[in-house]
Amino acid sequence: MAWTCGGLTNKELISNLVKNKIIASKAVEEAMNKVDRANYVPNLTTAYMDEPQTIGHGATISAPHMHAYAAEHLLPYLRPGAKVLDVGSGSGYLAAVFLHLVSPAGTVVGIEHISELTEWSIENLKKDGLSEALHSKNMQIITGDGRRGYPAEGPYDAIHVGAAAPIVPDVLVEQLASPGRMFIPVGTHTQNILHVDKDAAGNVTKEVIMGVRYVPLTDLSYYKS
Ligand code: SAH
């Protein structure tokens, strides 16, 4: 179970996620092994625990099992060369995992509305060896309202939303490629992860995957108040 998945090292954490069948593919295992969670958390003593951690400004880095689920659920769309949008990119951790999955030639755009977190996540990504990707713009972290997406780089083969939206934002569905998949927590009191899939003909279907608890996808004022 998820809470038994922590480790003393990054390698041990990932290997426990594999043992517990939360990571199901070699591709996600390899990508998560390349991202050292210690580079994305303020509290190093619990860096390799399978639990969320506060990163300030009312935000949290999600638990590793949630990052693993997100990567596994989006995996069919994360081929090398693919374009990914990570809404509410927070610490930058999942953006880094996505970049390894779409490399070479893939691009990841993270969009985060708290500018301090944007700057901090860029430092985290640099510590984690991704300076070149930032320089070449294969990885971009933008400060902005993720509910509007980032049309300049779209359409996206995969969109991950890291905070719960009250409803699926139409603007994000518009920025999905055909085919493409969005992984998004939806709801206020009760929240569920939804797959929003767009097929090659542009038809959109939604499927409820699992119940979750995320911080809300909201206005900047919510966090600053
Ligand atoms: N995947 C990130 C999750 C961070 S928590 C990680 O594991 O590090 C969710 C993030 O969504 C927070 O950083 C929060 O600031 C951000 N967020 C909330 N509403 C937003 C919005 N409207 N636009 C952009 N980012 C938003």
Side-chain angles (χ1 to χ4, degrees), residues 10 13-14 17 23 27-37 63-65 67-69 71 93-94 97 100-101:
N10 203 59
L13 164 65
I14 306 309
L17 290 166
I23 295 178
V28 171
E29 179 183 355
E30 281 172 14
M32 286 183 72
N33 262 319
K34 287 181 188 157
V35 181
D36 186 345
R37 196 164 184 264
H65 69 270
H67 286 146
Y69 282 136
Y93 177 96
L94 196 54
V97 173
H100 292 299
L101 284 164

Side-chain angles (χ1 to χ4, degrees), residues 37 40 53 55-63 67 86-95 111-114 117 120 142-148 160-164 214-220 222-223:
R37 196 164 184 264
Y40 299 87
Q53 189 182 129
I55 55 174
H57 312 279
T60 51
I61 176 172
S62 303
H67 286 146
D86 185 19
V87 174
S89 46
S91 64
Y93 177 96
L94 196 54
I111 183 154
E112 168 55 57
H113 67 166
I114 296 176
L117 287 178
W120 180 65
I142 311 279
T143 300
D145 187 346
R147 292 173 295 189
R148 301 204 191 101
H160 172 263
V161 183
Y214 276 64
V215 300
L217 186 70
T218 186
D219 294 328
L220 206 47
Y222 173 92
Y223 289 92

Side-chain angles (χ1 to χ4, degrees), residues 45-64:
T45 55
T46 58
Y48 305 126
M49 295 292 99
D50 188 21
E51 56 192 31
Q53 189 182 129
T54 176
I55 55 174
H57 312 279
T60 51
I61 176 172
S62 303

Side-chain angles (χ1 to χ4, degrees), residues 54-198:
T54 176
I55 55 174
H57 312 279
T60 51
I61 176 172
S62 303
H65 69 270
M66 279 316 303
H67 286 146
Y69 282 136
E72 288 290 353
H73 281 269
L74 289 169
L75 189 60
Y77 299 85
L78 299 175
R79 62 178 200 293
K83 283 187 162 189
V84 185
L85 178 68
D86 185 19
V87 174
S89 46
S91 64
Y93 177 96
L94 196 54
V97 173
F98 289 146
L99 186 74
H100 292 299
L101 284 164
V102 300
S103 291
T107 52
V108 177
V109 177
I111 183 154
E112 168 55 57
H113 67 166
I114 296 176
S115 59
E116 291 90 335
L117 287 178
T118 305
E119 282 159 34
W120 180 65
S121 66
I122 290 171
E123 291 315 308
N124 298 344
L125 292 161
K126 286 183 183 162
K127 273 194 282 177
D128 209 35
L130 294 177
S131 299
E132 181 46 40
L134 287 160
H135 186 70
S136 64
K137 297 218 157 107
N138 285 75
M139 168 73 85
Q140 291 182 66
I141 307 287
I142 311 279
T143 300
D145 187 346
R147 292 173 295 189
R148 301 204 191 101
Y150 194 67
E153 292 286 344
Y156 300 95
D157 302 284
I159 299 180
H160 172 263
V161 183
I167 53 161
V168 176
D170 286 340
V171 188
L172 294 183
V173 180
E174 279 160 27
Q175 288 174 39
L176 259 187
S178 307
R181 172 173 291 170
M182 174 156 48
F183 178 100
I184 178 169
V186 179
T188 42
H189 293 299
T190 326
Q191 299 174 0
N192 286 298
I193 294 287
L194 261 58
H195 279 180
V196 181
D197 284 348
K198 198 185 264 188

